[in-house]
Amino acid sequence: WTGSELKLEMEAEEVVDLIKALFAESDYRRKAIGAIRRATLRRYALSSLVNSLLHTKKPIPFEFLINGQFLRTSIDEFLTQNGISAESTLNVEYTRALIPPLHVASFEHDDWVSAVDVLSQTSPAGVWSGEHGIQSGQEQILTASYDGLLRVWNLSGDAIAISTPPYNSGRITSLKTAKWLSNKKIVAAGLDNVVRVYKYDEDTRAITQSLELYNHRWGVEDVAVHGPTNRILSASTDATISLFSATAKDSPAAPSTLLPTSTTASNKRQKLSKPEKSVPTRGALTTLSGHTAPASNVIFKPEDATVAYSASHDHTLRTWDLPTSTCVDTRTTSHSLLSLTALPKLNLLATGTSARHITLIDPRASATQIAVMTLRGHLNAVVSLDTNPNSEYGLVSASHDGTCRIWDVRSVKPNAGAMVDGGQVGESVYVVEREGMGGKSKASGDGVKVFGVRWDADVGIVSTGEDKRVQINRGVGERGGG
Amino acid sequence: NIDPELLLPKLPSPDELKPFPTTCAVVFRGHEGRVRSVSVDPQGTFLASGGDDGHVRIWELLTGRQVWNVRLSDEDAVDTVRWRPGKDASVLAAAAGEHIYLIVPFSILSPDIEQSSRDILDAGWGYAASKPSATTNGAPAKEPPARWSRPSTRLESKGVLVQTTVRSTVKVVHWHRRGEYFATVSPRGQSSAVAIHTLSKHLTQLPFRRLKGLAQSAQFHPSKPVFFVATKNSIRSYDLSRQELVKILQPGAKWISSFDVHPGGDNLIVGTYDKRLLWHDLDLSTKPYKTLRYHKEAIRAVRFHQGGLPLFADASDDGSLQIFHGKVVGDLMENATIVPLKVLRGHQVKSRLGVMDMDWHPREPWCVSAGADGTCRLWS
Ligand SMILES: [Mg+2]
């Protein structure tokens, strides 16, 4: 028995003996023992039992895992569903329950909001910015919109800084992705194929372009950033991944055929809308080729920025060795892959599909199964994923069905049958609807699609969508929830 | 006593024939009035649509976001939109009234793709002037089959770069797979109903001066120099290099609305206004191998998947699309396996019109539809 983990590797009668030894005779003890003997204990009863055993002042909601899976029924039903004999020894663990993430705030935009990132003491960019980078309570939210603008928000809902649209010779400016590189630098990209680096000055409330990076022939769907090495990865509809430096002096010249000034017609339009001050243009350090259809997402491997993972509409998830620019592993699934996040402690990658589910893949060379697990429940494409900052088992997904779903990979659906790509089937713990839409999530996503989600330990679950809003949800009584 | 049922070949169940589209993933809103035509670009990223509001619109396929539009006409509907095949350039053909417009939607293109697309359209300027048609030799100059011209400045500023004007309203545009030729059909055009246009020469030819019956649709064979023309009751195939009739297919239909040739080239599906869908095996007979009657109203569009999946679909005025498995085997003696898979419902029927057109994604088991209800839909 430890403060954080209760392991009961014993038979029911042994637990009863233990409870008798630890607790004085009372009505409560009698009821608990009766429930254990009848094997009718459900999560709530177990939670009360553990709270009383731990002498907690305020009850903490606990979840129970039996042999690694969440208990969602009585123990008896669980044993029946999983075909476990009543005589066998169960491995029982308890864990603090996920708290329903309630709506905290929504900030309105003029147009669809495609992506969001959070700057906090615990966010990657916050950590890279050092201890004076960001103060508690001064967290900031970055959004990218189809109107072509970046906005930085404080938690009171004030848009404290807004970028100006780029000069790109009459091309579309809609943004698809944006990330904090540090507390003073932002990277963003979208349908005009250019990856842009911005300086952010909190004092003057200015977002100013500092570098334009050219390498893509079609729109950029996603960027990943790594502060310590100042590197940027971008995933494009042109099926390539680019590796850029965020610093002009480290970068080669931009490919001339991709510059807006490269063609007569384009150059003429560029002259008609000449910027006051020109922004330096550069090219990529390397291009990662191999995908045969649009690349939708790219991430650095957590804790090793020399490795990248990418997901593509070509159904594959690829592992790249960045120093040699080679694809070292390809995992082929059955569907277009639209989103990607890592569960580093479990050595898993989670990828969202056009076929409405999330596939968990072990990218290590030793793994033989295509999918370790499939998370089912969304009614439309899963287009954004992030990891629970408080639990190595948790993640959040955003879908065109108008919801975000919270998952714990230990929440397994019994008797769900084998998936096409193999593995177990998981089900979501909570569903977050769009606020103010009257619960109108719908399979077709008509008007309610969610496009981006981030889960920050300090701010909570921050999501954006077709409703032109960034929405914050958080477990009540806790910062960050979970 | 043998049960005759046992002698029939057993069809696989739809569950064994996944993947195929089952649900509406995106609704595209923005057209005013009917959407008459849809086309997915060769990359599978964008959807183009045209409709009664005279607009051509381009959308992000997966989000339903409108990213580009142009008003081609104040009076005429846009009857058809078709992307030019090939990924190195991005050219969209759209027809409104008797005009075919060739469009480079530069605002969603990189400068190099904009340039290669412009080059393809610009190559033919001046060709007609430098090489006068042989038929005008000595004789009084005849009216040319089509006029190739530059559209208005308003249209040019949006990327509408070429306007080809034929003699009567164009209802069908079909690109040859290499993107150098496109065919158009003007059902009321009589001797000029079917035209074949050569892009690099800005040249229009009328190969069928005496077509029997009202032309409905036309298409190039996917790999051979063969051209198919549908009239109200029959489909003729012509050898373009020998300039001779090859075959006359008799679907037994009262009125053909559309047809599509299987990517393998040996099978063909036909949709009819009299509610029937017919499968022809070109090796077997001039009569249909299979007749499918599932719709309550007219079928307006039929289309094979072009990206290697054994799927085809039709679109009907009853507001639904029907998805079929259609597996063609290499063996000449064996017939195709045809299994109905799914009815896709969602479009509203407006003034007795339902789904006006449909297209497949180039790779995925997804299709798009154009509705008389003013929406396009992606089904996945
Ligand atoms: Mg055959």
Side-chain angles (χ1 to χ4, degrees), chain B residues 267 281 283 329 331-332 334:
Chain B
N267 292 269
D281 187 324
D283 300 329
V329 281
D331 186 351
L332 275 176
E334 204 176 328

Side-chain angles (χ1 to χ4, degrees), chain A residues 265-282:
Chain A
S266 186
N267 195 27
K268 199 165 107 192
R269 294 193 303 268
Q270 183 77 344
K271 277 178 180 156
L272 292 173
S273 63
K274 207 172 165 61
E276 288 164 30
K277 206 176 138 212
S278 71
V279 178
T281 62
R282 290 295 185 274

Side-chain angles (χ1 to χ4, degrees), chain A residues 111 146 171 176 315 446, chain B residues 29 60 65 109 114 364:
Chain A
D111 205 336
Y146 273 85
R171 295 196 150 73
K176 301 287 289 199
H315 302 190
D446 200 7
Chain B
R29 295 186 188 277
E60 235 184 355
R65 173 71 180 203
L109 305 178
E114 177 187 357
E364 294 292 333

Side-chain angles (χ1 to χ4, degrees), chain B residues 159-373:
Chain B
V160 185
L161 302 182
V162 175
Q163 174 179 321
T164 307
T165 306
V166 294
R167 288 173 200 162
S168 67
T169 298
V170 175
K171 293 287 186 184
V172 173
V173 172
H174 182 82
W175 286 95
H176 183 265
R177 70 182 189 284
R178 288 208 306 270
E180 164 66 343
Y181 307 99
F182 63 97
T184 58
V185 179
S186 311
R188 293 171 192 280
Q190 292 166 349
S191 66
S192 64
V194 179
I196 295 180
H197 311 267
T198 306
L199 197 51
S200 66
K201 297 177 181 172
H202 289 195
L203 177 75
T204 300
Q205 290 161 297
L206 304 174
F208 311 104
R209 289 290 177 174
R210 272 167 302 186
L211 202 64
K212 281 188 189 138
L214 213 55
Q216 297 298 308
S217 189
Q219 193 169 120
F220 293 95
H221 187 283
S223 50
K224 296 175 194 161
V226 170
F227 191 72
F228 297 86
V229 179
T231 56
K232 267 176 86 166
N233 308 114
S234 60
I235 297 174
R236 288 173 169 77
S237 64
Y238 299 88
D239 186 318
L240 286 174
S241 49
R242 290 192 208 144
Q243 305 206 344
E244 62 184 30
L245 180 67
V246 180
K247 196 171 276 188
I248 305 176
L249 299 176
Q250 302 284 3
K254 290 200 188 79
W255 196 330
I256 294 169
S257 59
S258 68
F259 73 95
D260 195 27
V261 182
H262 186 269
D266 296 330
N267 292 269
L268 181 151
I269 45 173
V270 186
T272 76
Y273 289 109
D274 42 294
K275 311 170 196 175
R276 276 179 290 175
L277 173 64
L278 310 122
W279 179 293
H280 277 268
D281 187 324
L282 299 178
D283 300 329
L284 282 183
S285 157
T286 58
K287 298 276 184 276
Y289 152 63
K290 199 136 205 163
T291 300
L292 304 159
R293 229 192 130 129
Y294 290 106
H295 285 292
K296 292 191 181 74
E297 300 296 337
I299 293 172
R300 292 198 163 257
V302 293
R303 197 73 58 90
F304 280 110
H305 193 277
Q306 300 292 320
L309 296 173
L311 293 169
F312 66 100
D314 63 12
S316 165
D317 274 339
D318 63 18
S320 73
L321 294 102
Q322 180 134 22
I323 309 297
F324 296 88
H325 170 84
K327 181 100 174 171
V328 174
V329 281
D331 186 351
L332 275 176
M333 301 311 294
E334 204 176 328
N335 290 319
T337 311
I338 298 165
V339 185
L341 294 175
K342 181 79 189 171
V343 181
L344 300 175
R345 294 180 211 278
H347 283 293
Q348 306 284 311
V349 176
K350 285 269 168 97
S351 309
R352 307 195 62 190
L353 298 174
V355 189
M356 312 283 287
D357 191 22
M358 61 94 33
D359 192 16
W360 286 99
H361 187 275
R363 297 179 307 272
E364 294 292 333
W366 308 339
C367 63
V368 289
S369 54
D373 61 4

Side-chain angles (χ1 to χ4, degrees), chain A residues 308-323:
Chain A
Y309 300 111
S310 62
S312 163
H313 293 209
D314 70 6
H315 302 190
T316 70
L317 193 148
R318 286 169 194 259
T319 306
W320 305 90
D321 179 56
L322 296 177

